[in-house]
Amino acid sequence: MQDSNENIWKSLLIVACFILPGISFASQDADHDLDRTVLPISEPDPKHYTELDVRNTQPPPRWEVTPPKGAPNVLIVLIDDLGFGSTSTFGGPVPTPTLDKLAQSGLRYNNFHTTSLCSPTRVALKSGRNHHTANTGSIMETATAYPGNTGRIPNRVAPLAEMLRLNGYSTGAFGKWHETAAWETSISGPFDRWPTRQGFDKFYGFIGGETDQWSPLIFDGTKRIVPPKIEGYHFTEDMTNQAINWVKAQQSMTPDKPFFMYFATGATHAPHHVPKPWIEKFHGQFDDGWDAVRQATFERQKAAGVIPDSTKLPPLPSDLSAWKDLPDDHKRLFRRQAETFAGFVAHTDHNIGRLIDAVDSIGELDNTLIFYIAGDNGTSAEGGMIGMYNEMTYFNGVQEKVEDMLPLIDKWGSPETFPHMAAAWAVAFDSPFKWTKQVASDFGGTRNGMVVHWPEGIKQKGGMRSQFSHVIDVAPTVLEAASLPEPKSVNGTEQVPIEGTSLLYSFNDAGAKERHTVQYFEMFGNRGIYKDGWMARTIHRAPWETSDLTPLEDDVWELYYVPDDFSLATNIASSNPEKLAELQNEFMVEAEKYHVLPIDDRTIARTNAAIAGRPDLIGDRKSLTLYEGMDGMLENTFINVKNRSLTITANIEVPEGGASGALLVQGSRYGGWSLHLRDGKPAYEYNWLGLERYVVESETPLPAGKATVVLDFDYDGGGLGKGGDATLAVNGKQVAKGRIEKTQPNIFSADETADVGLDNQTPVALGIGYGPEETRFTGKIHDIVVEVE
């Protein structure tokens, strides 16, 4: 027994000789010798051995890159479409206890700016460069052929996540992405600009600009997955669960390895989907209307010191109605819109609180640098004058009516609606500013409340910081907090220098002199320049304006001195013409430097790749052959069937007893088309924005055996969105014919897809089920060919 024990101990010693060097982190001891300006950091040359027998040697210590000692965890929380005057933390009407709590032991920034739109802010946030430098002059779906607007993030603009990953961080992204070029979102990739090739080890979320919160299009990495089947499912809750699980597991497995998490909710972007109990919390709280809510927020902001006492409240934009002038039925609809939005905000903050509590529960809160950014731009006014139950109407130039929306009040925010609110609410939730999302030349479009929380790095708790800052300042702040240099080269590509300014200087010095002193702004022709406290700008277009715009050269510029005019309420251009001219010239200098020129003020027209000049995956092809398993095809990667004649030929096989289900669908319950078998009968259904349905259906079901089902649509022509005649044939024989009076001219869905053999998310057609399992075709699909003229 003694010999046996001695042998065991000898064996353990031998194993230890191998294992212990393997778990040492030699890079920590030689951290000062690492060149972190070139990423990835080069491995040392391997040692050469001359000994024959391994027993006579000692292995070298394992080489591994670890972050500098004391580097904090980093959590960036980014809310979508949430304006400065929304949250209780910044004087707004919606209680946000998580943001409040972080602010009480952290810092509030009341002079922090974004780009005024989704994709540009996100790319700028995670790269530290201006959005045009990263080719993201607007959202990915409106990219053009010009430098600064191509939608293709260049390799010379490496994201923060990749910098941190290559310095030893674990990295995870959850929620909304919206940073991948539209033509790169198919199964063919390339996947270079997907999250897992932009520095993130883990991604769980949606790839486009918005998603149905009840029936989202989710990717885990680059693989599309079906959401968990649970009662009352909501995406914000799901992504929070995923984020909590990831960070706990990551810290369990590697407690000495810091994490970087990017947590970007789809909320509070339209559709305003939220569980009904959260809406009910706000019943009656917006009965006084947007003017009163805006004024009350303004007064709270002054009382809380969020804005200076001298701040003035500008009037509503002239296109918007005063609350007192509205009919009672309009007010009833608008109240519910605001209650739903407020519930959406509160629900989102609650789930962020769950994530913060999870970080605290594993003992990592004190050493986690948190940026809670309340909005990637101002609140959205894309709901127009009266809001909408189906946001797709906006993208197709269709104006909804109050009388059509009133019956849906009790369903507002539910899976049966895809809603947005009236533009005047957006202005109210952007108090004390006049404008909203998309208006890059007004602080209502670009100024967002931000809270920074880092107990180990911030000495003054509950402070306010008023230095001018911008979303491009976050990345350099993280690098400085982690004692990491800005890399000069990443993955073999020389880098464009970071254009932001670290905010670390302001963490413990409220009176520190402002360091970010010049910043241009531009989006769809709205443009301005901030310099040393002065702001020159022009309002080229309102968010609800898409045509008949003033020529760019005729735009009228205004001038403001921001230290005396927090809300940009008093235009002093007439008394300072030389200063205005100086800043207009400065804008052109910055615009040329950062690839802002030439300016493109088109909006919806640019969703058409041919008009915009960006690549199109299908290109000039007139046909597309599809097979079983090809589902989840986003609209920008599918053949364009809009505003043209087409033929769909489906070669299928029906088993004994018949078949049912989808053959080929595109879109959602809010607009699209479906070729399917319903009770065995072949049918084509055109769903016009969820408002009108046109069905062409055979009277008899298909017998068992092979069949060729053909749908011919003869488009009327004469413009966009016109109608046409649809003919359905089986094995060369016409079985049904019908009229489709009108079609959708611009877009079917922001994130619902084209699917072969099933309907992936919400159902386009009635009567064939809901979701991929219920709508799955029960026969065999050999191929489907789509041909367009």
Side-chain angles (χ1 to χ4, degrees), residues 96-122:
T96 47
T98 301
L99 189 57
D100 289 347
K101 185 177 179 180
L102 292 175
Q104 288 163 7
S105 53
L107 300 172
R108 283 181 294 176
Y109 281 75
N110 68 346
N111 199 1
F112 176 81
H113 296 81
T114 56
T115 70
S116 83
L117 205 61
C118 305
S119 302
T121 289
R122 292 160 195 276

Side-chain angles (χ1 to χ4, degrees), residues 20 59 92-93 103 137 170 393 470 474 479 556 570 731:
L20 291 178
S170 290
T393 57
H470 191 270
V474 173
L479 292 178
V556 177
T570 305
N731 297 329

Side-chain angles (χ1 to χ4, degrees), residues 441-707:
S441 46
D442 187 80
F443 291 160
T446 66
R447 187 169 290 182
N448 289 90
M450 180 176 72
V451 166
V452 179
H453 184 271
W454 185 23
E456 291 188 3
I458 295 174
K459 297 176 183 177
Q460 181 186 356
K461 313 300 182 184
M464 183 77 72
R465 297 294 181 266
S466 298
Q467 294 90 346
F468 181 93
S469 52
H470 191 270
V471 68
I472 61 175
D473 298 338
V474 173
T477 305
V478 171
L479 292 178
E480 185 178 2
S483 300
L484 292 172
E486 175 186 343
K488 298 177 181 177
S489 174
V490 178
N491 295 323
T493 301
E494 184 177 349
Q495 295 295 291
V496 173
I498 284 179
E499 293 159 356
T501 303
S502 171
L503 295 172
L504 207 67
Y505 77 93
S506 67
F507 279 12
N508 294 305
D509 186 357
K513 185 178 179 180
E514 185 173 290
R515 294 185 182 180
H516 192 142
T517 58
V518 179
Q519 180 62 48
Y520 81 89
F521 297 92
E522 191 279 329
M523 193 65 61
F524 297 131
N526 290 320
R527 55 205 189 276
I529 181 81
Y530 173 88
K531 184 177 182 182
D532 297 326
W534 293 89
M535 179 74 178
R537 65 95 176 274
T538 182
I539 306 295
H540 177 68
R541 55 172 294 275
W544 47 85
E545 292 178 322
T546 58
S547 61
D548 299 324
L549 303 177
T550 301
L552 290 162
E553 59 270 20
D554 293 342
D555 284 336
V556 177
W557 282 69
E558 302 166 0
L559 181 67
Y560 303 89
Y561 186 59
V562 180
D564 295 341
D565 191 0
F566 186 92
S567 59
L568 307 183
T570 305
N571 176 17
I572 55 175
S574 60
S575 56
N576 295 272
E578 293 181 357
K579 174 59 72 172
L580 177 60
E582 173 194 331
L583 290 176
Q584 286 177 289
N585 181 67
E586 183 75 17
F587 173 83
M588 292 301 292
V589 171
E590 296 289 288
E592 180 182 0
K593 177 180 179 181
Y594 293 113
H595 303 289
V596 181
L597 303 175
I599 289 171
D600 191 339
D601 62 357
R602 298 171 299 170
T603 53
I604 291 178
R606 283 166 57 178
T607 62
N608 185 318
I611 293 175
R614 66 176 172 273
D616 185 343
L617 187 67
I618 302 300
D620 294 330
R621 283 185 285 167
K622 300 300 181 185
S623 70
L624 179 65
T625 302
L626 304 162
Y627 305 96
E628 281 188 326
M630 294 181 69
D631 56 279
M633 293 172 282
L634 288 161
E635 193 158 333
N636 280 288
T637 62
F638 191 72
I639 192 167
N640 185 3
V641 300
K642 296 182 286 289
N643 309 305
R644 63 208 313 186
S645 297
L646 72 144
T647 299
I648 303 172
T649 304
N651 293 303
I652 64 174
E653 196 163 341
V654 177
E656 292 293 337
S660 62
L663 298 177
L664 178 62
V665 303
Q666 184 178 23
S668 71
R669 72 191 310 169
Y670 308 106
W673 53 269
S674 172
L675 181 65
H676 56 264
L677 267 62
R678 176 167 38 203
D679 299 325
K681 303 174 186 177
Y684 178 75
E685 182 167 328
Y686 197 98
N687 174 352
W688 188 79
L689 292 167
L691 299 172
E692 298 180 31
R693 294 176 180 270
Y694 306 97
V695 180
V696 180
E697 185 171 37
S698 172
E699 293 183 354
T700 58
L702 292 181
K706 293 183 178 180

Side-chain angles (χ1 to χ4, degrees), residues 218-240:
I218 302 176
F219 289 87
D220 192 338
T222 58
K223 182 180 179 181
R224 186 178 52 79
I225 65 169
V226 177
K229 291 184 177 180
I230 57 176
E231 186 175 354
Y233 172 91
H234 192 280
F235 176 68
T236 304
E237 297 168 3
D238 181 19
M239 65 174 279
T240 304

